[in-house]
Amino acid sequence: MQRIVLITIIMLWGQASFSQHAEERGKVYLGIRAGYTRSSLFGKDLGRLSDGGAASSLGGLFAEIVANTRLSKHFGLTSSISVGQSGARLQILDSSVNQPYRSNFKSTYLTLQPFSPTLYLKGFRLYAGPYLSCLLNASIERRAADGSIYKDKSIFGTPLLPGGYRQKIDAGLLIGLDYKCSKAISVGIKYKRGAISVMEDSRVQSQWKIYNQELSISIGYNLTRK
């Protein structure tokens, strides 16, 4: 937990430093946005989590603070920090009755989008770049001996466990498109694809090849306007 707090402080400090530097080059427009996500998992080792090697998408919510830096009429940079839910719906085999059941694999991430080159054109804003996420909590649904489904939070894990617990850091690429409906309101869509395995196994050198992917829609409010 202390490591998570430290990483969060570093993220916030880096975001503030970036915005301060950007203000020296051009106007920074701050905004907030929130929305709905559909997330899932992909990768060749998905069968380690979901029997049959497939997972369906799971819905969630997110909230975000955004800084848009205009460098010229058509170009700029986008930065943000957000908290959001993600995960997937897995199929797990109950060996005691030899029947599968549906299990919600849930995560909450703190995500930093440090900088994304951005193109502005006629009310649209297209951006793409890297992201870095820190896992805040995680759970998976399991079936008890009496047949009831319970939420198992031990999958969050610690390095003391032999394996099969959650990786605490995710990173990858994102691409998004926003449309400015008015001076105050905007709507957007964004896709994220992870490049770091969501599972950790300290018993082996090669980690499970299972990664996050997420599609989100949002509505935003511009705090700084012309």
Side-chain angles (χ1 to χ4, degrees), residues 32-142:
I32 55 175
R33 62 185 172 199
Y36 177 74
T37 64
R38 293 297 297 184
S39 56
S40 188
L41 302 171
F42 72 97
K44 72 175 188 177
D45 291 333
L46 187 54
R48 291 175 179 256
L49 272 180
S50 186
D51 291 297
S56 56
S57 60
L58 187 67
L61 301 173
F62 78 97
E64 188 171 34
I65 300 174
V66 185
N68 297 313
T69 305
R70 293 296 292 262
L71 302 179
S72 68
K73 181 178 179 180
H74 295 296
F75 297 99
L77 295 173
T78 297
S79 306
S80 69
I81 188 166
S82 64
V83 175
Q85 302 167 326
S86 67
R89 297 202 70 191
L90 309 178
Q91 179 173 279
I92 298 179
L93 181 65
D94 185 345
S95 58
S96 63
V97 295
N98 198 31
Q99 289 183 349
Y101 63 93
R102 304 297 291 178
S103 171
N104 288 334
F105 178 83
K106 293 185 176 181
S107 311
T108 301
Y109 282 102
L110 175 69
T111 299
L112 175 67
Q113 177 188 355
F115 63 89
S116 294
T118 305
L119 174 65
Y120 293 86
L121 185 62
K122 295 183 177 180
F124 289 94
R125 186 170 61 89
L126 176 66
Y127 58 93
Y131 74 86
L132 176 66
S133 295
C134 175
L135 184 67
L136 300 180
N137 61 61
S139 66
I140 187 171
E141 289 181 341
R142 301 194 189 278

Side-chain angles (χ1 to χ4, degrees), residues 136-205:
L136 300 180
N137 61 61
S139 66
I140 187 171
E141 289 181 341
R142 301 194 189 278
R143 178 175 284 178
D146 62 0
S148 62
I149 301 296
Y150 68 97
K151 186 180 294 186
D152 179 11
K153 295 185 178 181
S154 67
I155 196 172
F156 184 83
T158 70
L160 298 178
L161 296 178
Y165 57 90
R166 294 299 308 276
Q167 172 69 258
K168 303 306 185 291
I169 298 295
D170 184 31
L173 297 175
L174 59 81
I175 182 170
L177 179 67
D178 290 346
Y179 178 70
K180 190 175 181 181
C181 303
S182 67
K183 290 184 177 181
I185 304 298
S186 63
V187 294
I189 185 170
K190 179 167 58 178
Y191 175 72
K192 293 165 57 179
R193 190 176 180 90
I196 296 179
S197 173
V198 301
M199 297 298 295
E200 181 77 25
D201 194 338
S202 58
R203 298 168 295 184
V204 297
Q205 293 182 349

Side-chain angles (χ1 to χ4, degrees), residues 7-24:
I7 291 173
T8 303
I9 292 172
I10 293 173
M11 283 182 173
L12 292 171
W13 176 82
Q15 176 74 0
S17 299
F18 176 83
S19 297
Q20 183 179 5
H21 176 68
E23 287 180 353
E24 297 172 359

